[in-house]
Amino acid sequence: MSEHRAVVVDGVSKVFNRGTPRQVEALVDIDLTVGGGEFVSLIGPSGCGKSTLLRLVANLIEPSTGEVLVAGKDAPRARLDQEYGMAFQQAGLFDWRSVARNVELPLELKGWDGSRRRRRALEMLQLVKLTDFADHKPWQLSGGMQQRVAIARALAAHPRLLLMDEPFGALDEMTREHMQAELLRICAETETSVVFVTHSIPEAVYLSDRVVVMSPRPGRITEIIDVDLGPSRTVETREDASYFKKITEVREALRAGEDDRETEAVVAEERSSR
């Protein structure tokens, strides 16, 4: 990890529908820094605000309080400058465009000429090992291959940061494990920082330098767990005792966060009844 800070989230809270009967406090007092080349996973129970935090970093929504910086820029400026790429659970490819032209899309938005776009798209398809499928349509590819195209598209404009929201959630277990290994290879080759949302504890541990554990809504960071499984992750990593130890550590941190929130709810109820 370099000294470059890919993401800085400082004192961020998010409230939806403030001042209405439908008000929802989604995130409270979030502080998080992601270093250059670092892989950080966000994990927590459904509804804890993992995806909301990712959307704040992407400037798809704005914080109620606090500040978000991406590559040293405020989030709106970073979005306009395409400082990051995004990949979601659904690949989101356009079926009427070829695989290569899907990868070219962010480059079109940046105004690159056709020949330069094509060269870059082929470079990215080589990176994800799909060069032979450049002229296929997305519907002719498997789910895992489509996700590789989505990753190639997200990285096409040379972003230093990749934001990923459960990108492998819809894949079968074998394909998912293969895609995890491919993602780590790609990120190592491109020195890309990653913020990765997942519900899977083993996935978070296998992929990450750090796992950020979040509490039930309103989402808070309850613990940040360092994961040191060596310089490279392989099939053998999944069978190592230290891997299972970290899985247990994350699972216990999640349980502790849920227990703390239940205790807070009981105390609040007791106070209101007095």
Side-chain angles (χ1 to χ4, degrees):
M1 182 178 71
S2 73
E3 294 182 2
H4 160 71
R5 295 192 295 180
V7 177
V8 177
V9 179
D10 184 14
V12 163
S13 298
K14 180 62 181 177
V15 179
F16 292 102
N17 307 312
R18 184 187 292 275
T20 75
R22 296 182 296 113
Q23 177 171 311
V24 174
E25 194 175 22
L27 295 171
V28 176
D29 297 330
I30 301 294
D31 294 306
L32 179 65
T33 298
V34 179
E38 187 178 22
F39 199 118
V40 172
S41 287
L42 309 178
I43 195 165
S46 295
C48 74
K50 302 182 297 295
S51 294
T52 296
L53 179 53
L54 199 74
R55 291 166 66 199
L56 287 165
V57 174
N59 191 233
L60 300 178
I61 55 176
E62 295 186 354
S64 300
T65 61
E67 182 180 40
V68 178
L69 299 177
V70 178
K73 306 174 182 178
D74 63 70
R77 182 73 260 168
R79 176 174 56 82
L80 291 172
D81 292 346
Q82 296 189 35
E83 291 287 354
Y84 59 83
M86 294 195 74
F88 301 94
Q89 184 168 347
Q90 300 300 323
L93 305 176
F94 296 110
D95 279 343
W96 61 90
R97 296 175 70 114
S98 68
V99 165
R101 292 201 62 227
N102 268 280
V103 177
E104 290 178 28
L105 186 58
L107 308 178
E108 288 183 34
L109 298 175
K110 289 177 75 75
W112 289 29
D113 66 64
S115 60
R116 187 182 177 203
R117 291 199 310 265
R118 179 73 179 187
R119 284 196 303 273
R120 177 60 177 167
L122 292 178
E123 288 173 9
M124 298 311 302
L125 290 174
Q126 183 176 15
L127 182 69
V128 299
K129 300 180 179 179
L130 287 175
T131 306
D132 292 343
F133 296 88
D135 295 320
H136 284 61
K137 293 295 195 298
W139 56 267
Q140 296 174 303
L141 276 57
S142 69
M145 293 166 75
Q146 289 181 24
Q147 284 300 87
R148 282 152 67 188
V149 176
I151 293 170
R153 181 180 60 187
L155 293 171
H158 301 278
R160 301 174 74 176
L161 173 67
L162 189 57
L163 305 176
M164 310 189 80
D165 195 350
E166 297 197 73
F168 309 142
L171 304 178
D172 65 81
E173 193 63 26
M174 292 299 294
T175 304
R176 186 169 184 157
E177 290 187 1
H178 174 71
M179 288 300 302
Q180 291 165 2
E182 284 295 286
L183 177 60
L184 289 179
R185 176 186 63 81
I186 291 164
C187 290
E189 290 184 23
T190 57
E191 298 183 341
T192 303
S193 306
V194 182
V195 182
F196 189 96
V197 170
T198 181
H199 280 100
S200 168
I201 297 172
E203 179 169 72
V205 170
Y206 181 78
L207 290 172
S208 305
D209 298 304
R210 290 187 295 155
V211 177
V212 175
V213 179
M214 297 181 66
S215 70
R217 192 174 66 237
R220 295 178 172 87
I221 294 176
T222 57
E223 194 166 344
I224 298 179
I225 296 173
D226 292 323
V227 181
D228 184 7
L229 297 177
S232 62
R233 313 284 165 94
T234 64
V235 173
E236 286 72 26
T237 302
R238 300 184 192 275
E239 301 170 355
D240 193 276
S242 58
Y243 171 66
F244 291 106
K245 183 178 179 180
K246 280 297 174 183
I247 289 174
T248 300
E249 187 176 346
V250 173
R251 182 176 291 114
E252 290 178 349
L254 282 166
R255 287 175 179 165
E258 290 179 354
D259 292 343
D260 289 345
R261 187 49 49 88
E262 289 175 3
T263 301
E264 289 178 13
V266 170
V267 170
E269 185 176 349
E270 288 177 349
R271 286 175 178 169
S272 64
S273 63
R274 289 173 185 169

